[in-house]
């Protein structure tokens, strides 16, 4: 039986953290994720969680502490944003290469500089190749649901990788929406107890975590890590199917909105997809076959599945809420374009950078994008394949 509530995205994720009730949470506050350790600390103080909360002096220390706790055999979580995630950079790779299935809530915020505290995907996208699974949410409900599923994915014996559960700073993290929570007992049963096979505090087994790897062994370890990321694809789908059974909500690698019969499609991540859905509804009333592929899972990257969903489209706009500084577009644009190329797609494709540092994306802006796609479908790409939208003139 679902519990109807009104919560911000941060409240929703913190509530999921309470229900999961992991063993350890080291954390250092940074806007806009500060509320997450604050809520958890309150739950602990009120006797609603028995998680060991560890205040640390920096985000680097937070991730280092999380690695130590997870290696010792404790189910561990943390949270951060923006420069906090960047400060963890070195140890993000350590967590992944040591195959430690800890969970981090990332509230997406622009990286400096100029200094800005608003929504952008530059933080988590900058860490896209660190070996972490990455799952993104459009709204508060999805942020909650994704966190409930997180440990089932990361702790699977065929995966054993850390996982980021991402949501857009302020747009979802601080905005209050209606939400359906799952009962505590059902979440507890779904997530299950953490029983690691190998851990430092196991008296029956001597082991080392993070030793120096000499050349005859290191490459094989990296290949095994890459295989774990490949394995995560099926595990994500399997966990989503089980989650649907207790929640009634269906998840996969992506959500297709009016996508099957669409001639013109946008590919995007996060909260702006709600704006895009409104624009699609308007355009459909005018007989324009517009559609959306909303990316949920970015790592592992489901390139074949995306390309299959986008086949037969006349024109596609890939939307990046961060700049890749490659002089060729953003990270989502690069990955989706490569997938379409491998699938021998004949669609006209452009990569649009939008919404940097919290810049609004309006319904009218999206409608203009689809108008441009219609023109592209008929006459090809006239201007640059990579451009900005929403800039002040």
């Amino acid at each position: 039986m679902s519990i109807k509530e009104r919560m911000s995205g941060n409240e929703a994720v913190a509530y999921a953290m309470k229900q999961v009730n992991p063993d350890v949470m080291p954390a250092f506050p940074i806007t806009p994720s500060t509320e997450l350790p604050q809520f958890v600390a309150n739950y602990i103080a009120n006797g609603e969680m028995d998680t060991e909360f560890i205040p640390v002096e920096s985000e680097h220390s937070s991730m280092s502490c999380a690695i130590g706790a997870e290696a010792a055999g404790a189910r561990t979580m943390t949270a951060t944003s923006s420069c906090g995630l960047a400060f963890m950079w070195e140890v993000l790779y350590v967590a992944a290469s040591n195959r430690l299935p800890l969970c981090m809530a990332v509230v997406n915020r622009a990286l400096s500089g100029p200094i800005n505290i608003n929504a952008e995907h530059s933080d988590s996208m900058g860490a896209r190749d660190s070996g972490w699974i990455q799952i993104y949410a459009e709204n508060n409900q999805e942020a909650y649901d994704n966190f409930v599923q997180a440990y089932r994915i990361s702790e699977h014996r065929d995966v054993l990788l850390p996982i980021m559960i991402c949501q857009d700073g302020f747009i979802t993290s601080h905005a209050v929406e209606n939400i359906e929570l799952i009962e505590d007992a059902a979440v507890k049963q779904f997530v299950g107890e953490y029983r690691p096979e190998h851990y430092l505090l196991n008296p029956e087994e001597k082991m080392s975590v993070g030793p120096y790897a000499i050349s005859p062994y290191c490459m094989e370890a990296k290949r095994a890590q890459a295989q774990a990321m490949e394995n995560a694809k099926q595990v994500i789908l399997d966990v989503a199917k089980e989650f649907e059974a207790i929640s009634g909500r269906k998840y996969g690698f992506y959500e297709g909105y009016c996508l099957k019969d669409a001639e013109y499609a946008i590919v995007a991540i996060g909260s702006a997809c709600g704006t895009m859905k409104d624009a699609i509804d308007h355009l459909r009333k005018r007989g324009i076959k517009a559609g959306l592929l909303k990316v949920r899972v970015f790592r592992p990257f489901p390139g074949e599945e995306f390309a299959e969903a986008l086949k037969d489209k006349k024109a596609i706009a890939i939307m990046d809420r961060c700049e890749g500084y490659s002089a060729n577009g953003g990270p989502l644009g690069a990955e989706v374009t490569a997938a379409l190329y491998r699938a021998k797609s004949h669609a006209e494709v452009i990569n649009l950078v939008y919404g940097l540092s919290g810049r609004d994306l309006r319904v009218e802006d999206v409608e203009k994008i689809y108008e441009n796609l219609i023109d592209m479908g008929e006459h090809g790409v006239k201007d640059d394949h990579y451009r900005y939208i929403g800039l002040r003139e």
Side-chain angles (χ1 to χ4, degrees), residues 34-56:
T34 300
E35 288 182 322
L36 290 170
Q38 178 184 343
F39 283 130
V40 169
N42 285 337
Y43 285 137
I44 294 169
N46 293 336
E48 298 176 73
M49 294 178 72
D50 54 16
T51 300
E52 184 70 28
F53 184 83
I54 305 174
V56 290

Side-chain angles (χ1 to χ4, degrees), residues 81-218:
S81 299
S82 184
C83 307
L85 184 61
F87 199 11
M88 295 177 176
W89 231 255
E90 174 193 9
V91 277
L92 290 178
Y93 290 84
V94 175
S97 62
N98 285 341
R99 308 292 299 279
L100 300 173
L102 61 95
C103 181
M104 176 161 57
V106 176
V107 184
N108 290 114
R109 169 192 147 187
L111 283 171
S112 296
I115 295 173
N116 185 278
I117 64 168
N118 296 308
E120 194 179 302
H121 297 155
S122 53
D123 49 5
S124 58
M125 283 294 171
R128 65 189 178 278
D129 295 332
S130 60
W132 285 62
I133 297 166
Q134 291 189 350
I135 299 181
Y136 290 80
E138 175 192 342
N139 52 43
N140 304 3
Q141 184 71 65
E142 291 181 9
Y144 168 80
D145 291 348
N146 289 343
F147 198 93
V148 171
Q149 295 175 66
Y151 285 105
R152 285 289 308 279
I153 297 166
S154 63
E155 291 173 359
H156 193 284
R157 63 179 304 167
D158 293 336
V159 179
L160 295 176
L161 291 172
I163 186 168
M164 294 183 193
I165 300 300
C166 305
Q167 63 169 315
D168 287 354
F170 293 109
I171 299 172
T172 63
S173 67
H174 286 64
V176 175
E177 295 181 345
N178 291 334
I179 187 172
E180 289 190 6
L181 304 171
I182 306 168
E183 291 180 327
D184 292 356
V187 172
K188 185 177 180 62
Q189 183 178 6
F190 176 80
V191 176
E193 296 293 329
Y194 182 41
R195 295 186 175 89
E197 187 175 354
H198 306 286
Y199 55 99
L200 285 172
L201 295 184
N202 182 359
E204 307 300 322
E205 179 183 33
K206 294 180 179 179
M207 63 177 292
S208 176
V209 173
Y212 177 74
I214 58 177
S215 298
Y217 297 98
C218 191

Side-chain angles (χ1 to χ4, degrees), residues 217-262:
Y217 297 98
C218 191
M219 192 167 175
E220 284 71 21
K222 291 180 181 294
R223 178 64 185 88
Q225 184 182 340
Q227 184 61 50
M229 188 63 81
E230 292 181 33
N231 296 345
K233 289 180 67 177
Q234 187 58 50
V235 173
I236 288 168
L237 295 179
D238 293 342
V239 171
K241 190 173 183 179
E242 289 186 47
F243 182 80
E244 184 182 3
I246 67 167
S247 68
R249 295 184 288 275
K250 188 173 183 177
Y251 289 98
F253 297 138
Y254 68 92
E255 177 193 341
Y257 190 79
C258 299
L259 187 64
K260 285 188 178 180
D261 69 336

Side-chain angles (χ1 to χ4, degrees), residues 292-313:
L292 168 70
L293 189 154
K294 183 184 79 180
V295 176
R296 175 178 179 248
V297 177
F298 187 73
R299 284 290 183 270
F301 186 74
E304 292 181 7
E305 291 81 1
F306 290 173
E308 176 65 21
L310 294 167
K311 69 179 183 181
D312 302 327
K313 309 307 177 196

Side-chain angles (χ1 to χ4, degrees), residues 53-69:
F53 184 83
I54 305 174
V56 290
E57 72 277 9
S58 74
E59 291 87 357
H60 188 286
S61 297
S62 173
M63 182 52 59
S64 298
C65 187
I67 288 169

